[in-house]
Amino acid sequence: MEDSRLMPSTEQSPGTPPAVFVRLQQGGTWTDERSFTRSFTIGRAPDCDVVISEPAVSRRHAEVRWQAGTWQLADTGSRNGTYVDGARIQAAPLSALCRVTLGQSHAVVQLSVGRPADAWQTGSDRTALFSRPGSVTQLVQQLERQDSTADIGSEAQRYREAVARITKRQSRRHQLIVGVIGAILFTIAGVAVHQRYTLNDQAEQIAALRKSAEQSFYAMKQLELKLAELDSQIAQNAPAKDQQMIRSVQQELKSQERRYDQDVRKLGIYANMSERDQAVLRVARLFGECDATVPDDFLAEVNKYIQKWKTTGRLNEGMQRAAAAGYIGTISNALFTNKLPPQFFYVALQESGFNPKALGPVTTSGYAKGMWQFIPATATKYKLKVGPLQHVREFDPEDERFDPMKSTRAAAQYLKDIYLTDAQASGLLVIASYNWGEGNVIKKIRELPKNPQERNFWQLRKKFPIPQETHDYVFYIISAAVIGENPHLFGFTFTAPFATNLQ
């Protein structure tokens, strides 16, 4: 007969589930417990109910559901599996207290039904816990018919005590039990070793596939830069051999794109993601960043800035202004002409809210002015006429920085120059450069190796402290671009300015 203290409380009404108490093991200690009386999710994604930031944990790893009058733990298609007390499960009913391991990693979750875990693990309750049906200890205790009131700290200790008692009695019956215990433990050890090697093989395969994807992606970036170099060096009336060289680079670029897309599909990066998180990775790729190797904190950071956009009307107002004035077409056409992603459109949003008469702060070179907030020196470099009021914070009709068409063409050329030279086709580096100041960023960029794989925004963040203003600037722009992919998905009312078909 089972100890009633190990059964979930039955005081609730028939349709009311008992609470499930959850705590995580982190660095050898347990977190505070949380309780749920509804179904809840466990995973690495920031919108899961129980978030575990471990690489082996899938974004949505498992779910605890109330079904048919009992709590059920279900694996939701995780990459590395869900284990209850060492056994891998797809779906299983929860016992009063169980230990769940996600992906055979250090991610350990303790689930208890009806009362907190500590209430199950005191005095005779703990003895009853280690006597749960199906355990080797229970088999020993049933044969011995001997009560125990010792406060035992681990199940392994109980095994040792049981074996000691069996040896002392020198009974054939107990000797047989010892053999059974040894055989079971040997089998468990063998299964554990097999699982470890299987998981190691899987981890090695995933790591190799991720490396292959990364190499393909940055080979694409090298080819893009090579193609841009050829375009700038070879006139339209170039000899046939030069045209053939361009076609050859274009064909190799398409081949690398196909290879990269295949690797991404095999990795299943998008398979277990929400539609919102998928949009974040797609936009990162549109900006020229590798969506297969974005840092672990990138999704959470972008989602944080998406929430910030929701606290202000600035995005909706800016998009309405741009649409009413026809700036969407003007800006996207200028970017297309310069072979840049249309998502750089949102730089003007962050700079001025698409206000062509915007007046910015003073700099050592005068005031930043216009939709793109050019300072006088950069405006002159890109052939914009600077008016006589450049040292005064006033609108100047003679200043071409206030001309939406001319300033947009100059901005597109400026962005292209950064994108194809020092930024090595990293869109986020370009955005950082635009805000922090070309001289400030490029000095630091040039200290990085000159190849796209090691010269990008992630590497810049690792090696140099970035001003908070620049960090905000980059993440406001990329989060606005994510929202712009499907505004209604994120709770905004404006119409998506661009149609993208990147899968």
Side-chain angles (χ1 to χ4, degrees), residues 380-407:
T380 301
K381 179 179 177 180
Y382 286 89
K383 300 180 181 178
L384 290 176
K385 177 186 173 183
V386 177
L389 301 180
Q390 61 178 287
H391 297 295
V392 181
R393 196 172 185 273
E394 292 182 16
F395 172 73
D396 184 352
E398 296 183 38
D399 196 319
E400 291 182 340
R401 290 178 290 174
F402 294 110
D403 185 312
M405 296 288 289
K406 291 180 179 179
S407 64

Tab-separated table of all heavy atoms in Angstrom, residues 380-407:
chain	number	residue	atom	x	y	z
A	380	THR	N	29.293	67.563	-47.033
A	380	THR	CA	30.162	68.081	-48.090
A	380	THR	C	30.868	66.949	-48.825
A	380	THR	O	30.991	66.961	-50.060
A	380	THR	CB	31.203	69.035	-47.481
A	380	THR	OG1	30.520	70.113	-46.825
A	380	THR	CG2	32.110	69.604	-48.555
A	381	LYS	N	31.326	65.929	-48.085
A	381	LYS	CA	32.016	64.793	-48.690
A	381	LYS	C	31.125	64.090	-49.697
A	381	LYS	O	31.590	63.593	-50.740
A	381	LYS	CB	32.440	63.816	-47.583
A	381	LYS	CG	33.152	62.569	-48.083
A	381	LYS	CD	33.559	61.670	-46.916
A	381	LYS	CE	34.209	60.384	-47.417
A	381	LYS	NZ	34.600	59.501	-46.283
A	382	TYR	N	29.810	64.052	-49.423
A	382	TYR	CA	28.879	63.375	-50.328
A	382	TYR	C	28.082	64.359	-51.182
A	382	TYR	O	26.966	64.090	-51.596
A	382	TYR	CB	27.977	62.431	-49.526
A	382	TYR	CG	28.750	61.204	-49.091
A	382	TYR	CD1	29.441	61.196	-47.881
A	382	TYR	CD2	28.867	60.099	-49.924
A	382	TYR	CE1	30.201	60.099	-47.496
A	382	TYR	CE2	29.626	59.007	-49.551
A	382	TYR	CZ	30.290	59.010	-48.342
A	382	TYR	OH	31.040	57.918	-47.976
A	383	LYS	N	28.718	65.529	-51.429
A	383	LYS	CA	28.267	66.493	-52.429
A	383	LYS	C	26.907	67.114	-52.116
A	383	LYS	O	26.112	67.392	-53.015
A	383	LYS	CB	28.248	65.852	-53.821
A	383	LYS	CG	29.626	65.356	-54.240
A	383	LYS	CD	29.607	64.716	-55.611
A	383	LYS	CE	30.996	64.217	-55.990
A	383	LYS	NZ	31.014	63.544	-57.305
A	384	LEU	N	26.641	67.308	-50.838
A	384	LEU	CA	25.464	68.063	-50.442
A	384	LEU	C	25.904	69.495	-50.112
A	384	LEU	O	26.876	69.691	-49.377
A	384	LEU	CB	24.804	67.442	-49.209
A	384	LEU	CG	24.101	66.093	-49.390
A	384	LEU	CD1	23.588	65.590	-48.041
A	384	LEU	CD2	22.957	66.189	-50.386
A	385	LYS	N	25.199	70.443	-50.626
A	385	LYS	CA	25.511	71.848	-50.350
A	385	LYS	C	25.071	72.192	-48.926
A	385	LYS	O	23.932	71.949	-48.534
A	385	LYS	CB	24.779	72.747	-51.344
A	385	LYS	CG	24.981	74.231	-51.092
A	385	LYS	CD	24.105	75.050	-52.044
A	385	LYS	CE	24.170	76.529	-51.675
A	385	LYS	NZ	23.270	77.335	-52.526
A	386	VAL	N	26.008	72.711	-48.129
A	386	VAL	CA	25.717	73.098	-46.749
A	386	VAL	C	25.408	74.593	-46.722
A	386	VAL	O	26.169	75.407	-47.245
A	386	VAL	CB	26.911	72.775	-45.821
A	386	VAL	CG1	26.622	73.243	-44.398
A	386	VAL	CG2	27.206	71.281	-45.842
A	387	GLY	N	24.298	74.978	-46.114
A	387	GLY	CA	23.848	76.364	-46.131
A	387	GLY	C	24.631	77.256	-45.182
A	387	GLY	O	25.425	76.790	-44.353
A	388	PRO	N	24.391	78.532	-45.257
A	388	PRO	CA	25.137	79.496	-44.430
A	388	PRO	C	24.808	79.411	-42.941
A	388	PRO	O	25.535	79.958	-42.113
A	388	PRO	CB	24.705	80.855	-45.005
A	388	PRO	CG	23.391	80.589	-45.670
A	388	PRO	CD	23.466	79.199	-46.199
A	389	LEU	N	23.719	78.721	-42.590
A	389	LEU	CA	23.326	78.631	-41.177
A	389	LEU	C	23.818	77.331	-40.528
A	389	LEU	O	23.251	76.868	-39.549
A	389	LEU	CB	21.793	78.710	-41.054
A	389	LEU	CG	21.137	79.969	-41.608
A	389	LEU	CD1	19.627	79.918	-41.431
A	389	LEU	CD2	21.708	81.215	-40.936
A	390	GLN	N	24.901	76.776	-41.053
A	390	GLN	CA	25.358	75.483	-40.538
A	390	GLN	C	25.763	75.538	-39.076
A	390	GLN	O	25.736	74.526	-38.378
A	390	GLN	CB	26.530	74.964	-41.366
A	390	GLN	CG	27.755	75.861	-41.371
A	390	GLN	CD	28.893	75.262	-42.162
A	390	GLN	OE1	29.528	74.315	-41.739
A	390	GLN	NE2	29.124	75.811	-43.355
A	391	HIS	N	26.146	76.719	-38.579
A	391	HIS	CA	26.557	76.837	-37.179
A	391	HIS	C	25.429	77.335	-36.282
A	391	HIS	O	25.664	77.675	-35.118
A	391	HIS	CB	27.758	77.782	-37.060
A	391	HIS	CG	28.971	77.274	-37.788
A	391	HIS	ND1	29.622	76.120	-37.423
A	391	HIS	CD2	29.625	77.761	-38.883
A	391	HIS	CE1	30.634	75.903	-38.249
A	391	HIS	NE2	30.663	76.874	-39.149
A	392	VAL	N	24.218	77.342	-36.844
A	392	VAL	CA	23.051	77.794	-36.083
A	392	VAL	C	22.006	76.680	-36.112
A	392	VAL	O	21.782	76.053	-37.148
A	392	VAL	CB	22.445	79.082	-36.691
A	392	VAL	CG1	21.251	79.550	-35.862
A	392	VAL	CG2	23.502	80.165	-36.780
A	393	ARG	N	21.348	76.437	-34.999
A	393	ARG	CA	20.341	75.367	-34.938
A	393	ARG	C	19.013	75.893	-35.473
A	393	ARG	O	18.046	76.101	-34.745
A	393	ARG	CB	20.194	74.857	-33.508
A	393	ARG	CG	19.480	73.507	-33.419
A	393	ARG	CD	19.527	72.944	-32.005
A	393	ARG	NE	18.943	71.621	-31.959
A	393	ARG	CZ	17.652	71.363	-31.784
A	393	ARG	NH1	16.814	72.394	-31.605
A	393	ARG	NH2	17.195	70.121	-31.760
A	394	GLU	N	19.007	76.109	-36.795
A	394	GLU	CA	17.805	76.600	-37.471
A	394	GLU	C	17.672	75.928	-38.828
A	394	GLU	O	18.652	75.477	-39.420
A	394	GLU	CB	17.888	78.122	-37.689
A	394	GLU	CG	17.819	78.936	-36.422
A	394	GLU	CD	17.858	80.441	-36.708
A	394	GLU	OE1	17.635	80.819	-37.889
A	394	GLU	OE2	18.120	81.207	-35.771
A	395	PHE	N	16.428	75.877	-39.316
A	395	PHE	CA	16.185	75.373	-40.656
A	395	PHE	C	16.757	76.354	-41.671
A	395	PHE	O	16.653	77.567	-41.515
A	395	PHE	CB	14.679	75.192	-40.879
A	395	PHE	CG	14.317	74.864	-42.295
A	395	PHE	CD1	14.572	73.607	-42.823
A	395	PHE	CD2	13.732	75.827	-43.117
A	395	PHE	CE1	14.245	73.307	-44.136
A	395	PHE	CE2	13.405	75.532	-44.432
A	395	PHE	CZ	13.669	74.254	-44.936
A	396	ASP	N	17.375	75.833	-42.735
A	396	ASP	CA	18.005	76.664	-43.761
A	396	ASP	C	17.583	76.145	-45.131
A	396	ASP	O	17.990	75.062	-45.545
A	396	ASP	CB	19.527	76.595	-43.608
A	396	ASP	CG	20.253	77.511	-44.591
A	396	ASP	OD1	19.584	78.073	-45.482
A	396	ASP	OD2	21.494	77.633	-44.463
A	397	PRO	N	16.732	76.851	-45.835
A	397	PRO	CA	16.256	76.371	-47.145
A	397	PRO	C	17.373	76.218	-48.170
A	397	PRO	O	17.204	75.513	-49.173
A	397	PRO	CB	15.245	77.439	-47.576
A	397	PRO	CG	15.595	78.655	-46.780
A	397	PRO	CD	16.159	78.168	-45.487
A	398	GLU	N	18.522	76.845	-47.942
A	398	GLU	CA	19.638	76.707	-48.877
A	398	GLU	C	20.510	75.480	-48.570
A	398	GLU	O	21.443	75.179	-49.317
A	398	GLU	CB	20.499	77.977	-48.841
A	398	GLU	CG	19.767	79.228	-49.311
A	398	GLU	CD	20.692	80.442	-49.323
A	398	GLU	OE1	21.883	80.262	-49.691
A	398	GLU	OE2	20.238	81.537	-48.963
A	399	ASP	N	20.213	74.802	-47.495
A	399	ASP	CA	21.015	73.646	-47.065
A	399	ASP	C	20.392	72.367	-47.628
A	399	ASP	O	19.244	72.031	-47.317
A	399	ASP	CB	21.046	73.602	-45.531
A	399	ASP	CG	22.144	72.684	-45.008
A	399	ASP	OD1	22.334	71.599	-45.598
A	399	ASP	OD2	22.788	73.046	-44.002
A	400	GLU	N	21.142	71.641	-48.478
A	400	GLU	CA	20.597	70.449	-49.140
A	400	GLU	C	20.431	69.257	-48.201
A	400	GLU	O	19.829	68.259	-48.576
A	400	GLU	CB	21.479	70.051	-50.327
A	400	GLU	CG	21.401	71.065	-51.463
A	400	GLU	CD	22.227	70.666	-52.666
A	400	GLU	OE1	23.145	69.823	-52.522
A	400	GLU	OE2	21.958	71.199	-53.762
A	401	ARG	N	20.906	69.378	-46.975
A	401	ARG	CA	20.637	68.318	-46.006
A	401	ARG	C	19.151	68.220	-45.700
A	401	ARG	O	18.666	67.175	-45.254
A	401	ARG	CB	21.429	68.562	-44.717
A	401	ARG	CG	22.923	68.363	-44.874
A	401	ARG	CD	23.657	68.674	-43.584
A	401	ARG	NE	23.649	70.090	-43.264
A	401	ARG	CZ	24.117	70.607	-42.130
A	401	ARG	NH1	24.620	69.808	-41.201
A	401	ARG	NH2	24.094	71.919	-41.909
A	402	PHE	N	18.405	69.316	-45.948
A	402	PHE	CA	16.964	69.321	-45.723
A	402	PHE	C	16.193	68.843	-46.954
A	402	PHE	O	14.965	68.772	-46.907
A	402	PHE	CB	16.495	70.729	-45.329
A	402	PHE	CG	17.019	71.184	-43.995
A	402	PHE	CD1	17.967	72.188	-43.912
A	402	PHE	CD2	16.572	70.592	-42.823
A	402	PHE	CE1	18.448	72.621	-42.679
A	402	PHE	CE2	17.061	71.017	-41.588
A	402	PHE	CZ	17.997	72.035	-41.514
A	403	ASP	N	16.882	68.539	-48.037
A	403	ASP	CA	16.231	68.047	-49.258
A	403	ASP	C	16.101	66.519	-49.140
A	403	ASP	O	17.103	65.803	-49.142
A	403	ASP	CB	17.074	68.408	-50.481
A	403	ASP	CG	16.387	68.033	-51.779
A	403	ASP	OD1	15.902	66.883	-51.891
A	403	ASP	OD2	16.356	68.869	-52.703
A	404	PRO	N	14.866	65.978	-49.043
A	404	PRO	CA	14.699	64.538	-48.824
A	404	PRO	C	15.337	63.687	-49.917
A	404	PRO	O	15.964	62.661	-49.617
A	404	PRO	CB	13.178	64.349	-48.790
A	404	PRO	CG	12.622	65.695	-48.476
A	404	PRO	CD	13.567	66.684	-49.079
A	405	MET	N	15.185	64.067	-51.169
A	405	MET	CA	15.715	63.272	-52.275
A	405	MET	C	17.240	63.287	-52.285
A	405	MET	O	17.894	62.233	-52.335
A	405	MET	CB	15.183	63.806	-53.608
A	405	MET	CG	13.687	63.690	-53.771
A	405	MET	SD	13.154	61.983	-54.031
A	405	MET	CE	13.763	61.699	-55.675
A	406	LYS	N	17.836	64.473	-52.239
A	406	LYS	CA	19.291	64.585	-52.325
A	406	LYS	C	19.974	63.966	-51.099
A	406	LYS	O	20.982	63.273	-51.215
A	406	LYS	CB	19.700	66.055	-52.488
A	406	LYS	CG	19.310	66.642	-53.832
A	406	LYS	CD	19.747	68.100	-53.950
A	406	LYS	CE	19.371	68.670	-55.316
A	406	LYS	NZ	19.770	70.102	-55.446
A	407	SER	N	19.423	64.239	-49.917
A	407	SER	CA	20.055	63.701	-48.709
A	407	SER	C	19.920	62.182	-48.652
A	407	SER	O	20.819	61.489	-48.170
A	407	SER	CB	19.451	64.338	-47.455
A	407	SER	OG	18.082	63.998	-47.322
